[in-house]
Amino acid sequence: DQLKDQSAIQIIEYKDQYKNKFRELNYEWITRSFTVEKSDEYVLSNPKKAVIEKGGYIYFAKYNNQIIGTFALVKVDGETFEIAKMGVTEKYQKLGIGQKLLDHAFQRAKTMKLKRLILYSNTLLAPAINLYFKNGFRVIPKTDLHNTRANIKMERIF
C-alpha cells in the first residue's frame, strides 16, 4: 500500500498506547547503521518520563491507522527545544513524511515562541541531513557529548 495522499497523514500526540511504536520506529533506524546506546535505551523505554514530564512532546505520523513515523521535541530551556528520535519506517521513507513531521515541529516552535530548534545527527544519514539543510538548519559546533553516534549538531533560528 503506497502513500497516495499526503493529507491522509495525521500528526498526533503521544499516548501511552503508542509507547512501543516510539521504541520500534527508533530501533529500526538506529540499528540499521548504529548501536543503541544507554541514553537511547532510557528515552525509548521511558518516553513519558524522559521527554514529556520534562516539558517536551512526542508526535507520531499516522496513516491508514498505522503509526509510520515519530519525533520528540525535548525541552532544553525556555527558548530552545531539541528535535530528537525522529524516524519514519522504511516502507514509507522518501514520501515526504519526514518533511511533514518537521513542519509540525516548526508549527509547535512558532506557537511556543521558541528562539531555536537544535538537533544532533550523523553525516551517514545523508537524506536526513539534506532535509535539515533544506529546512533552514545550519551546522553549529558540537561542544557537548550527546551520544557517540552524533557527529553533527545543527540549529534553526526562528
Side-chain angles (χ1 to χ4, degrees):
D1 129 70
Q2 272 300 8
L3 180 66
K4 293 172 188 70
D5 182 11
Q6 280 281 340
S7 68
I9 300 167
Q10 296 172 275
I11 305 298
I12 59 171
E13 283 204 48
Y14 179 87
K15 289 187 178 97
D16 285 335
Q17 72 195 68
Y18 302 130
K19 178 182 175 180
N20 289 338
K21 286 307 285 182
F22 184 64
R23 183 186 180 87
E24 281 170 34
L25 286 162
N26 278 287
Y27 261 73
E28 183 185 322
W29 75 262
I30 293 170
T31 58
R32 197 176 305 129
S33 307
F34 308 102
T35 302
V36 175
E37 299 182 33
K38 268 197 170 109
S39 59
D40 295 318
E41 187 55 52
Y42 175 72
V43 173
L44 297 176
S45 298
N46 307 282
K48 210 169 172 178
K49 192 174 179 182
V51 177
I52 295 166
E53 290 173 8
K54 291 184 175 169
Y57 305 88
I58 296 173
Y59 297 97
F60 295 94
K62 189 175 183 181
Y63 173 68
N64 268 357
N65 279 325
Q66 288 181 296
I67 299 296
I68 60 171
T70 190
F71 76 96
L73 280 177
V74 179
K75 184 174 185 172
V76 177
D77 59 41
E79 302 178 327
T80 307
F81 274 66
E82 174 192 347
I83 294 177
K85 304 293 184 254
M86 184 166 159
V88 174
T89 193
E90 198 164 17
K91 177 182 174 185
Y92 290 100
Q93 287 178 358
K94 299 183 175 76
L95 298 172
I97 294 152
Q99 181 65 58
K100 201 155 175 115
L101 291 167
L102 260 189
D103 289 344
H104 191 77
F106 297 154
Q107 284 174 325
R108 291 293 298 136
K110 286 178 180 140
T111 304
M112 296 189 296
K113 296 182 174 32
L114 298 181
K115 288 217 167 48
R116 69 187 197 137
L117 287 172
I118 62 166
L119 61 85
Y120 297 83
S121 191
N122 186 291
T123 47
L124 289 176
L125 304 172
I129 301 294
N130 290 335
L131 179 68
Y132 303 142
F133 275 126
K134 193 179 94 182
N135 280 278
F137 281 89
R138 62 186 183 88
V139 177
I140 59 173
K142 183 181 170 286
T143 54
D144 49 340
L145 176 69
H146 188 66
N147 58 39
T148 53
R149 174 177 65 246
N151 69 357
I152 188 171
K153 183 177 182 180
M154 302 176 86
E155 75 173 357
R156 178 176 165 177
I157 305 290
F158 289 93

